[in-house]
Amino acid sequence: MGPEYMRTFIANMPKAELHLHIEGTLSPETILRLAQRNGVDFPYRSVEEIRQALAARPAGLEGFLDHHYLRIPLLQTERDFFDMTFDLLRSCKENNIVYTELFFDPQVHTSRGISFGDVIEGIDRGRRSGAEAFGVEANLIMCINRDRSVGSAFEMLDQARPHRRRIIGLGMDSYEEGHPPRKFEEVYSQAREEGYRLTAHCDVDQTDSVSHIWECLDLLNVERIDHGVNTIDDPDLVEEVKRRKIPLTTCPIWRSSDPAPQDTDRIKSLFDHGVLVTLNSDDPAEFDSGYLTNLIAGVQQASDYSKGDLVRLARNTFEASWLPLEAKNAYIEDLHAYAEANGVETT
Ligand code: ADE
Ligand code: ZN
């Protein structure tokens, strides 16, 4: 099967996505519009300048985040959060994503004086209007910024309490170096008592990545790991992740300077070991991999996944979701109907 055939197969396949940061979806055009609307002095003045700055940023998590956070002051009002979420669900529709769980970072907004209420109201309204307009179902995961204090994370839980039913889970992201998962053990324990589903980022090739993943399992009791590619470095961890059926939301993104999608060999190896691997786009406006169809098409070429493998990966994502069992099974049935109509046997 040629690359164009596979791309079409991927494009038309009903998909889910579980690792997608709303704040990582501002296109250059949206950035310029928001800068004007809110009178924010963004350092880059044209689509071309924004693209060049993206291409020139240093490699790695810190280089990414330093650049990512420049965009945050553009978001000022409830309407901005609404527009961002509504636009994202339109992009999901264009990618045949039928279900998604979206990350948002309350602390980067509340620390600028924007109320938690405005943030969640805009995002949740965008989520509901987007579902109506595009038929894309979404749930929300709020992330602790792990480089901030434990007190600040508890404060976020307090602020979220009146909105508890609008938020399905708790995650953790931002700068990982020096901020191990154990720092937030008590916050996770409290969140579990409040009924949140739990996940956490363990970004790729950080200092102590493997022990961070163990801490997430043993101290935070997470149900998923975001990224988690370094699981492959420890055979006992591979076995434990399989035993506990912990999904990994991997993000084999690429930048313009990368020769290929990142980490594909390790991801394929985890997949071959039977780990519940899923493919996700992370911050699609900030990587050349973009949205999910394009990302999976690049990964398929790099790792030579068959159509059956691609269906398995898509099924993993529905299985790894926090949907009720019945809804999960309904999506998986639709996926299997698509697979069988395209000559892929399912069991
Ligand atoms: N914030 C947005 N995307 C992130 C990622 N992949 N890791 C850590 N923090 C993030
Ligand atoms: Zn992420």
Side-chain angles (χ1 to χ4, degrees), residues 21 69 103-108 141-157 169-175 179-181 183-189 191 198-201 220:
H21 298 261
Y69 287 135
F103 292 129
F104 69 111
D105 277 354
Q107 289 158 296
V108 295
I141 303 173
M142 65 176 179
C143 285
I144 297 170
N145 286 151
R146 66 200 306 160
D147 50 322
R148 294 175 193 259
S149 69
V150 172
S152 168
F154 271 120
E155 199 181 322
M156 181 179 84
L157 274 187
L170 179 78
M172 172 165 68
D173 64 5
S174 200
Y175 299 94
H179 303 287
K183 173 175 168 187
F184 293 101
E185 186 176 355
E186 286 172 14
V187 184
Y188 269 72
S189 166
L198 302 177
T199 187
H201 275 58
L220 305 190

Side-chain angles (χ1 to χ4, degrees), residues 17-19 204 225-230 247-253 262-264 266-268 270-271 275-282 292 295 299 305 313:
E17 174 151 22
L18 305 177
H19 188 150
V204 185
I225 302 275
D226 300 309
H227 298 289
V229 170
N230 292 93
L248 306 181
T249 67
T250 72
C251 303
I253 52 82
Q262 294 180 2
D263 313 319
T264 47
R266 289 184 284 182
I267 291 169
K268 180 72 163 37
L270 287 160
F271 178 74
V275 174
L276 206 72
V277 168
T278 69
L279 299 177
N280 306 270
S281 66
D282 208 357
L292 193 59
L295 177 126
V299 171
Y305 284 115
L313 285 160

Side-chain angles (χ1 to χ4, degrees), residues 24 36 85 127 179 213 232 295 298 330:
Q36 186 160 44
T85 310
R127 177 185 81 86
H179 303 287
I213 298 170
I232 199 68
L295 177 126

Side-chain angles (χ1 to χ4, degrees), residues 42 61 99 134 176 193 208 218 319:
F42 193 68
L61 180 63
Y99 176 70
F134 309 118
E176 186 163 335
E193 272 176 33
D208 299 328
D218 291 339
E319 281 182 353

Side-chain angles (χ1 to χ4, degrees), residues 113-130:
I114 297 171
S115 76
F116 191 98
D118 274 0
V119 175
I120 190 66
E121 182 58 31
I123 292 175
D124 192 43
R125 211 162 56 77
R127 177 185 81 86
R128 284 180 280 122
S129 298

